[in-house]
Amino acid sequence: MASSIVSGVRIAGVASAVPRAFRTIADDAAVFGEAEMVKISQATGVRRRHVAADEICTSDLCVIATERLMRDLKWPQESINVLIFVTQTPDYILPATSCVIHERLGLSRECAAFDLNLGCSGYVYGLWVASRLIAGGGRALLLVGDTISRIASPEDRSVATLFGDAGSATALEADQNTPTKMHFQLGTDGGGHRHLMVPAGGFRVRHSEQTSKRTLREGGNIRCDEDLFMNGAEVFSFSMKTVPGLIASVLDQAKWPLETVDAFVLHQANRFMLEHLARRAKLPRSRLVLALEDYGNTSSASIPLAMTTSLAGRLTNCELRLLLAGFGVGFSWASVALNCGPLLMPNLIEVASNPAQDAAVVARA
């Protein structure tokens, strides 16, 4: 695995946003049957998922979270040196959505902006890139999120009942008075890319009438080749083989005994997987964050969303020793051991169907 240590950078704040609209297991029962949904919900730990309205993009969720965070931090636009947008659901094929966001936020022309196309590991990868870029000085905004509901067939029980939508914003700044370090471990197994993917609609397999037609697939699921496909068994197997070693490796790099970690914030894949990973990695169950009951698997946003909903009370008041780990689509994985807090963490923002209306609400809050 690739190893990296970053000094002199701190997380100043984290904000998260979700669409106000949501679907419950009762809604899904109308499609898949009540008995089936009870079984699925018990395994995944998901009871409802926030889903974006047609007019809401991932960028809208991230911009609203960013505006709230910058206002509360009192960071002027001209103080931002780097903007990174991590998503698999951009506004356009081109230009990079980060450029669109740059204009919406009114950032300086001296601010570098670019996109990263990553999913489950994307938040930690983004922290690594952002912190490395400003280690010598400056401020960075890391915007991470996905609206996976847009690419999940509503008749495919393997994805429709699991994935939710969310966006986040993380503010980082160089601080040479910060005595602690961020310890990163990252890796890739590209041979697993076919097990979690949207097979068509890009440039390898172009959009056509055939690729957009939903048909009956394995397990009685209905989807088209432009919908998200997940081989759950392969993803589970990969996670069990990779994540325990990833956790052990980053703890060894940081020279942290496992029992000294205050909270383990893993990608919120599903409850069944997280509980198995905790047992295999011998994580204290009381320190494992489970935060997907009301949000589902929110892809790249799941780690900052879990921090917002489960750790805000502690992180706003004291420093915590955290281990963050993302893993999945690609196959790709990344973990960081870091001391975090006190920092600014606004309450979770719920976004209505009109992004302009929500921006006004945030401005008045």
Side-chain angles (χ1 to χ4, degrees):
M1 282 185 281
S3 301
S4 182
I5 300 174
V6 181
S7 303
V9 175
R10 76 178 190 97
I11 295 178
V14 177
S16 301
V18 295
R20 187 168 299 159
F22 58 84
R23 285 184 61 86
T24 67
I25 59 171
D27 296 322
D28 293 324
V31 180
F32 302 110
E34 184 175 351
E36 178 75 0
M37 280 313 305
V38 169
K39 182 173 66 174
I40 291 174
S41 181
Q42 287 175 344
T44 63
V46 179
R47 298 191 60 83
R48 71 175 190 174
R49 308 165 330 276
H50 290 257
V51 294
D54 288 344
E55 60 270 30
I56 295 180
C57 290
T58 305
S59 61
D60 298 317
L61 300 174
C62 290
V63 164
I64 289 171
T66 305
E67 289 174 336
R68 176 63 180 272
L69 190 59
M70 289 182 66
R71 188 201 69 180
D72 290 356
L73 286 169
K74 297 180 172 58
W75 280 14
Q77 288 97 326
E78 60 270 18
S79 72
I80 306 303
N81 305 100
V82 178
L83 167 68
I84 301 173
F85 182 53
V86 182
T87 192
Q88 297 172 121
T89 51
D91 288 17
Y92 308 104
I93 293 176
L94 61 86
T97 305
S98 56
C99 296
V100 179
I101 293 173
H102 177 278
E103 180 191 33
R104 291 178 63 180
L105 294 176
L107 302 183
S108 162
R109 292 182 63 179
E110 281 68 49
C111 172
F114 58 93
D115 290 7
L116 293 177
N117 181 3
L118 286 168
C120 315
S121 65
Y123 183 67
V124 181
Y125 263 91
L127 282 178
W128 174 53
V129 174
S131 61
R132 294 287 295 180
L133 287 174
I134 64 166
R139 287 174 170 170
L141 293 173
L142 172 63
L143 280 58
V144 178
D146 278 300
T147 45
I148 293 294
S149 68
R150 296 286 182 77
I151 55 173
S153 167
E155 299 173 286
D156 185 343
R157 62 175 55 79
S158 68
V159 293
T161 62
L162 177 62
F163 286 95
D165 302 332
S168 69
T170 299
L172 300 99
E173 65 179 351
D175 183 355
Q176 297 307 315
N177 295 319
T178 299
T180 57
K181 301 176 180 179
M182 296 184 185
H183 296 267
F184 291 91
Q185 290 281 322
L186 312 99
T188 311
D189 177 7
H193 77 272
R194 61 184 59 84
H195 298 304
L196 187 52
M197 70 181 304
V198 178
F203 291 101
R204 178 66 60 187
V205 181
R206 301 291 294 271
H207 163 77
S208 68
E209 183 178 347
Q210 183 177 357
T211 62
S212 60
K213 182 179 180 181
R214 286 178 173 149
T215 57
L216 184 65
R217 308 295 177 99
E218 71 289 334
N221 293 311
I222 298 174
R223 67 173 179 274
C224 70
D225 288 342
E226 294 179 32
D227 290 325
L228 178 65
F229 162 73
M230 181 173 69
N231 184 332
E234 288 290 342
V235 174
F236 181 82
S237 176
F238 148 75
S239 301
M240 291 302 113
K241 292 175 182 176
T242 305
V243 179
L246 172 65
I247 292 171
S249 181
V250 78
L251 287 175
D252 181 66
Q253 178 184 341
K255 295 181 171 56
W256 287 3
L258 186 145
E259 61 273 12
T260 67
V261 178
D262 294 305
F264 297 87
V265 191
L266 309 187
H267 165 55
Q268 302 290 292
N270 63 71
R271 184 172 64 192
F272 181 79
M273 182 181 291
L274 290 174
E275 290 178 343
H276 272 71
L277 285 172
R279 285 194 290 270
R280 186 162 294 193
K282 297 182 171 56
L283 307 184
R285 180 63 180 79
S286 61
R287 300 182 191 180
L288 175 69
V289 173
L290 281 174
L292 46 68
E293 181 177 11
D294 291 327
Y295 307 101
N297 179 335
T298 54
S299 186
S300 59
S302 77
I303 292 175
L305 179 61
M307 293 169 66
T308 299
T309 58
S310 298
L311 298 177
R314 299 166 68 189
L315 282 171
T316 55
N317 294 302
C318 61
E319 181 180 271
L320 296 181
R321 180 171 278 193
L322 301 181
L323 189 148
L324 316 179
F327 47 90
V329 61
F331 287 139
S332 173
W333 58 91
S335 184
V336 60
L338 74 163
N339 288 79
C340 191
L343 70 159
L344 193 144
M345 296 193 79
N347 292 334
L348 179 68
I349 303 166
E350 292 193 356
V351 178
S353 58
N354 185 335
Q357 172 186 334
D358 284 287
V361 170
V362 170
R364 292 195 299 270

